[in-house]
Structure formats: C-alpha cells, structure tokens
Amino acid sequence: MSEIFRPPVTRIATLAGHRDAVYALTGGTGSTVYSGSADGMVVGWDTAEPTRDGELLARVQNSVYALRHLPELNLLVLGHNFQGIQAIDLAQRKLAFATALPPVAIFEMVFSASRQRLYVAMGDGTLAVLVLPDFRLEKLLRLADKSLRCLALHEDRGELAVGSSDTFTRILDLDTLETRFTLGESTNSVFSVVYSPDGARLLTAGRDAQIRTWDVAAGYALSGTVPAHMYTINHLAFSPSGQYVASCSLDKSIKLWDAATLTLLRVLDRARSAGHGTSVNRLVWPGTENRLVSCSDDRSLAVWQVEV
C-alpha cells in the first residue's frame, strides 16, 4: 500500500487592515481576493503581492457576510446586511447597482451565468432571486423557518443546493425553484455546501462538525460521513484541480483533505502552523498557484502555500 502524500503547507503572508472579524471572502480575477468584515469594509487584495496594502472598495453601515465576484461583468456584489445587495463596478471603482431586500442578514450569494440570475440566501429563511444585468428582484421564496446559510450551484443539472439552520439541505430546480431533494441527515445548522469540481458529489458541513458526502447521480444518496472538527465547520472549499478540499472551523483550525477519500492530510492551527488564533470563517483558492486564503475573527486574512 503506497504511502499517502501529505503536501507541505506554509503560511506565507498575513493580510491585515480590517478592524473587526472578517466573515466574507471571494476570489477575483487571477490572484485577487476580496474580503468583507463586521467593520463594514470591503477590501481587495493581491495574493501574488501580499506585501501590498489592500484596496478599500466600499464601506457600508452593517456587517458584510456575503461577497460574490462576477467576472463576466467585472462586478463585485456585496450583501449589505439589512440593506440589500450592492454591485461595485471594479473598473470604475464605483457603485453600479443597488437592490433593496427585506431587512435581514444576507449569508451567501451565487450567480448562474446560464440563467443570468443571482440567488441570495437570507436570514429569515427566504431565497431571493435577482435578474441581471440590472439586478431586478424577480422572486422572494420562503423555504424555511430559520436562516438560509449557504448556496451551491450545479449548472449542468440545473440545480441549486441550499443549506439551512433548520438542519436541512434542499436541492432546488434552478428554473422552477421547486424542491427536488431534501437532505435531512445533518443534526444542526448547515453552514457550507459545495459541489466537487466534476459535479459528482455534494459536500455539506456545519454546526455538528461533520463533513457529509452525497452522491449526486444516485439521487443525493449519503455516501459518507467524517467527524472532521471539534466545533462548527464554517466553510468548505475544493482546490481548483479538485485534488484537495479544505475545511475551516470555530475550533480555530483549517484542515486539508484528500478530496477523493476525505483522508486528512494537514492541520493548520496556531500551534503547528502559525495559524489563526480565533474562529476561521471562510476559505478561497485564488488563481492557479496552489494558494489557499483564509479569514478569521482575528481580523486578518492568511495566505497559505500548498506544495504539490
């Protein structure tokens, strides 16, 4: 039996400047990432030049939990809690669109290029659907009595995975928004849903600290459960190659897993890797340089180099 390769991972930079916990993180073009914080600031960073200061793109009144880069339109969309969504024109560095939504928290947004729709997960259990290019509100659909926390798109199947604090993950038809499947094995809030790059699997995780794998072609049958962290898992992210999946948690750690088997490869924490000292909230793999970026309640972002 061949020995498992455990890639070395090194923290190569700290990106500092936020004044409060950093909750939102999304990849941009190339090595760019964007962060949003409880301080209301939205900042752009270049992970290829981590010694450069971040660029302040927006300052809003409330916490920012959700960001989404739309490369085709060169827009950065931010969920401005209790105010709706705003779209920033990245070329002109100015507000391009704003749409008011019900005055609740916005936890995640995903964009379907094929449908030209932005789907927004909201704190009152409502899914909002906006039509581009003008971000017109098309529909508000109440799905749950508790918060919708996370979203993932499967464009090929025309499906939207919606994870909720009511313990359920619902798989919706992208066009009709009817529920095709309801995944109910989680025992607490679902905070992260992500499809594998090949679309064959859905991974879910959340407050019960388990990573669950669902076989998409088999009607989302549960195919595995891994007790992955000590406390709440806040986010999951596949590497662009599909070789790895990273998880981050309230337990202050990031874990790197073999994506095919969910074998644990590395633990990135304060003691072993100069990791974050508080909850790690979100992850993104920018560009193609095998870099992973994390953000934390400690007000910083960390840039990690994964040696493959």
Side-chain angles (χ1 to χ4, degrees):
M1 187 173 177
S2 61
E3 186 176 347
I4 297 170
F5 173 65
R6 302 182 186 276
V9 183
T10 307
R11 182 170 179 163
I12 61 171
T14 298
L15 308 179
H18 282 291
R19 298 171 185 168
D20 209 332
V22 187
Y23 296 124
L25 195 60
T26 191
T29 302
S31 56
T32 302
V33 298
Y34 301 100
S35 59
S37 167
D39 61 16
M41 292 195 293
V42 175
V43 180
W45 312 86
D46 185 349
T47 60
E49 297 185 52
T51 58
R52 285 176 51 187
D53 289 340
E55 180 184 3
L56 180 64
L57 297 171
R59 188 192 300 269
V60 296
Q61 185 176 356
N62 301 305
S63 298
V64 178
Y65 295 151
L67 290 171
R68 180 63 58 180
H69 178 237
L70 308 183
E72 304 91 340
L73 301 171
N74 202 25
L75 296 175
L76 179 67
V77 185
L78 63 100
H80 181 187
N81 282 350
F82 311 104
Q83 299 287 333
I85 67 99
Q86 297 179 350
I88 300 166
D89 183 319
L90 290 171
Q92 300 186 44
R93 296 298 197 262
K94 69 176 186 179
L95 182 67
F97 300 97
T99 302
L101 293 172
V104 295
I106 294 171
F107 286 114
E108 185 147 39
M109 303 174 291
V110 293
F111 175 62
S112 168
S114 65
R115 273 104 177 142
Q116 289 294 296
R117 299 290 191 275
L118 184 76
Y119 300 87
V120 182
M122 303 179 66
D124 64 351
T126 297
L127 180 73
V129 184
L130 284 68
V131 183
L132 272 66
D134 58 357
F135 291 87
R136 171 177 54 84
L137 179 62
E138 181 178 60
K139 186 158 190 165
L140 291 170
L141 177 65
R142 187 71 176 270
L143 288 175
D145 293 330
K146 294 187 176 180
S147 300
L148 304 185
R149 298 301 302 246
C150 49
L151 302 170
L153 275 173
H154 198 308
E155 289 271 22
D156 291 344
R157 288 174 58 95
E159 291 178 341
L160 176 70
V162 184
S164 170
S165 285
D166 67 0
T167 77
F168 294 108
T169 299
R170 296 167 176 85
I171 310 299
L172 307 186
D173 181 288
L174 263 183
D175 297 312
T176 67
L177 300 184
E178 303 225 344
T179 301
R180 290 183 178 176
F181 303 95
T182 300
L183 316 182
E185 281 76 359
S186 297
T187 61
N188 213 317
S189 297
V190 180
F191 284 172
S192 188
V193 291
V194 60
Y195 285 102
S196 58
D198 63 5
R201 293 171 294 146
L202 176 72
L203 269 55
T204 63
R207 203 180 289 277
D208 66 10
Q210 314 275 321
I211 298 176
R212 291 177 174 83
T213 303
W214 311 84
D215 185 330
V216 173
Y220 290 88
L222 181 65
S223 61
T225 301
V226 174
H229 282 269
M230 290 179 61
Y231 303 118
T232 298
I233 298 171
N234 290 321
H235 195 225
L236 303 169
F238 277 94
S239 64
S241 67
Q243 184 176 3
Y244 304 116
V245 63
S247 60
C248 64
S249 170
L250 182 65
D251 68 14
K252 310 176 187 178
S253 75
I254 301 164
K255 293 187 177 182
L256 189 68
W257 309 82
D258 178 275
T261 63
L262 283 187
T263 300
L264 180 62
L265 302 176
R266 289 287 174 192
V267 179
L268 309 177
D269 58 14
R270 174 62 67 88
R272 280 167 278 203
S273 313
H276 293 285
T278 54
S279 175
V280 189
N281 297 325
R282 202 160 179 92
L283 303 163
V284 69
W285 298 81
T288 57
E289 301 302 315
N290 293 308
R291 286 185 177 172
L292 176 67
V293 181
S294 56
C295 67
S296 169
D297 278 3
D298 67 11
R299 304 182 292 179
S300 77
L301 286 70
V303 183
W304 307 87
Q305 183 70 49
V306 181
E307 305 294 342
V308 296

